[in-house]
Structure formats: C-alpha cells, structure tokens
Amino acid sequence: MTVYADVLVVVNYIINLLIILASGKILGIILSRKRACLSALLGAAGSLIIFLPYIGWWFQLFYKIFLSGAMAAAAFGCQSWKRLAKSLFVLLSVSFLFAGILLAVSYLIKPLNVLFYNGIVYFDISMLMLLATTTAAYFLLLLFERLLFSRTSEKKLYNVSVMVNGKTLAMKGLADTGCQLKEPFSGAPVIVCDKELASRIAPSEETRYRVIPCFTVTGQGALRGFRPDEVSISGENLQTRTSDVYIAASREPIHGEYQALLNPQLVDRG
C-alpha cells in the first residue's frame, strides 16, 4: 500500500481533534481551541513515524504513551501529575474506543484497506468516508459519555446566583477539582463564568476588578475578575451565600449543562 504523508497527517489530525474534544467532555474541561488544535497537530506529526524502518513493539508502546502524554499536557494542561495522569488515562481510553467504533462503522459501510505499521494506523480512505465514519464515531462516544457519566456530573452541578449592583444572574455551575483559581491578594476562590454572561453584570467601578493569574487549560496568562456583592450557591445538601469570591470571565464560551466552573472550596464550605 502506498502511504501519502499529507493524507496521513490530515486524517490523523481530524481523528485526534475529535478524540480530544470527546475526552474534554468526559473530563468536564472547557478546552481552548488553540490548545486542542496544538494537541491534535502533535499527534498528527507523531504519526510520521510510520515512514521509519520497523521498530520493536516495546519502543512502539513507549512512543505511544509518550506521545499521548504530550497531547494530554498540550490539550488539558499539566498543573499536577495527578491531573495529567487522569487526562492521559481518559485520552487513551477514548482513543481505544474511538478506534474500535471507527473500524466497526467503516466495515459496515464499506470494507477498507488499512495498514498498521510502527504502531500507526493508516486508512486508505476517501474524504467523504473519513467525515462519515469520524462523525459517527464522535457522536457514539458522546452518547456513551452521556449514559455513563451523566449521573456523576449531576452531583457536581449547582445553582449559582450572582448579585452585582442590584442585578442578579442565575446559572448552572460545575464544581471542578481542576479549577483551583484564587485571587492572589485575598486568597478568595474564583468562579470562572461564561464571558457573555459575565459581561451582563460586570460592574463599572474599576476598583472592583483584579488581575487573576491563570495556569489552566484555557492557557497561561491572566483573567480579569471582579468582586460581586453576593453569590448564592445551592444544590444537593448545600445552601450557602458569600461575598468572599471573585467572578472571572472565561476566555472561551462555556455552553451546555453548565455556564461556570466553581472552585471546589466554595461548595466544600457547605
């Protein structure tokens, strides 16, 4: 079989990107587009090892784990070894599931020519077939994630009400152990809110704003946060009110079941 480098890279990039997006949903992480694309590009570039002379299975295994670790770090961040290990485990699990679903759907539609060499799979596949099979695999994975993880996710969702200058904004918040942001001077926990929602109640007084250092999956840098008059958080066996908190606008939109990420410190108080 003739292997074309451009087809190899493009196919792997698309597949990797869908795997990363599905992994992010399972992990409950809001992905930065740049980081997701960078991670997918790393995986696509790593597939070029298929052009090297045959290497032993042990090196293939080491290489795949190293490459997957680099992809997980690029997409989801590496603030702690525990978080990186969890991200890597989910990424590898989704990769295996994705590969199985992709092959099954492909053979049901039309038998394919597949080459497996140096731990890399090359599909002799048309662009139309690629779009059909990868889309089907992605939605099947989302269905799997919803059925398997929805009950766990519900336990982490809270009703959040933010009050600023007489205005009130209600939203759903997800308590995420990966969201440990705090305002550096006061040590107050931070709620990362969808940027469009945050703009609705953002105060005009500049004195209420603080720069919050940010080393999360949304990228390194800083978020601009403000102190509300009061935040009310309610959920299963929890009802709490506090003004010792900051609201930061996310860099990327947060849509879906929740519109904010909560520092677990806020719900652990209850």
Side-chain angles (χ1 to χ4, degrees):
M1 182 186 299
T2 302
V3 177
Y4 298 95
D6 54 347
V7 175
L8 175 71
V9 171
V10 170
V11 169
N12 274 273
Y13 176 81
I14 294 174
I15 293 175
N16 288 334
L17 186 59
L18 291 176
I19 289 173
I20 292 163
L21 293 176
S23 299
K25 285 186 173 293
I26 292 175
L27 288 165
I29 292 175
I30 306 302
L31 285 171
S32 162
R33 294 175 185 172
K34 291 181 179 179
R35 294 180 72 98
C37 292
L38 174 61
S39 179
L41 188 59
L42 279 175
S47 67
L48 294 172
I49 195 176
I50 198 173
F51 293 108
L52 296 180
Y54 179 76
I55 55 179
W57 66 268
W58 59 270
F59 186 84
Q60 294 179 30
L61 178 63
F62 173 79
Y63 178 76
K64 293 293 287 185
I65 293 176
F66 175 79
L67 181 61
S68 298
M71 291 174 62
F76 309 118
C78 51
Q79 293 79 12
S80 68
W81 286 106
K82 183 178 180 181
R83 183 175 178 82
L84 180 59
K86 180 180 178 181
S87 301
L88 177 58
F89 175 77
V90 171
L91 184 65
L92 289 174
S93 299
V94 171
S95 297
F96 286 126
L97 286 171
F98 199 93
I101 295 172
L102 183 60
L103 285 173
V105 174
S106 299
Y107 281 116
L108 285 175
I109 298 175
K110 178 184 178 182
L112 298 175
N113 292 322
V114 179
L115 173 66
F116 184 79
Y117 187 74
N118 277 347
I120 303 299
V121 179
Y122 177 80
F123 293 91
D124 186 10
I125 185 173
S126 67
M127 186 56 66
L128 180 62
M129 180 66 72
L130 171 65
L131 292 174
T133 52
T134 52
T135 301
Y138 178 69
F139 281 109
L140 284 172
L141 276 173
L142 292 188
L143 177 62
F144 171 79
E145 179 267 338
R146 181 174 293 274
L147 293 176
L148 189 61
F149 296 97
S150 59
R151 185 166 295 180
T152 300
S153 298
E154 288 173 3
K155 295 180 180 179
K156 298 180 180 180
L157 288 177
Y158 297 88
N159 297 312
V160 181
S161 181
V162 181
M163 286 145 277
V164 179
N165 293 338
K167 297 179 181 178
T168 301
L169 177 66
M171 69 190 89
K172 287 285 187 179
L174 174 71
D176 183 10
T177 55
C179 182
Q180 300 286 346
L181 288 181
K182 293 183 179 182
E183 198 278 321
F185 294 102
S186 65
V190 175
I191 296 176
V192 180
C193 174
D194 175 72
K195 59 182 180 180
E196 193 277 328
L197 290 179
S199 66
R200 296 182 188 178
I201 56 168
S204 57
E205 306 95 321
E206 286 296 325
T207 55
R208 300 179 69 165
Y209 287 89
R210 294 290 186 274
V211 174
I212 301 169
C214 176
F215 299 92
T216 71
V217 294
T218 55
Q220 298 183 8
L223 298 177
R224 193 166 184 256
F226 60 87
R227 192 161 197 158
D229 296 328
E230 186 179 72
V231 170
S232 174
I233 303 174
S234 62
E236 186 176 355
N237 301 321
L238 175 70
Q239 181 69 48
T240 183
R241 294 176 182 271
T242 181
S243 58
D244 188 24
V245 63
Y246 277 82
I247 306 296
S250 64
R251 292 179 177 175
E252 300 291 336
I254 304 178
H255 298 308
E257 292 182 285
Y258 54 89
Q259 298 80 45
L261 296 175
L262 309 180
N263 185 317
Q265 179 183 337
L266 290 164
V267 295
D268 288 344
R269 295 177 179 182

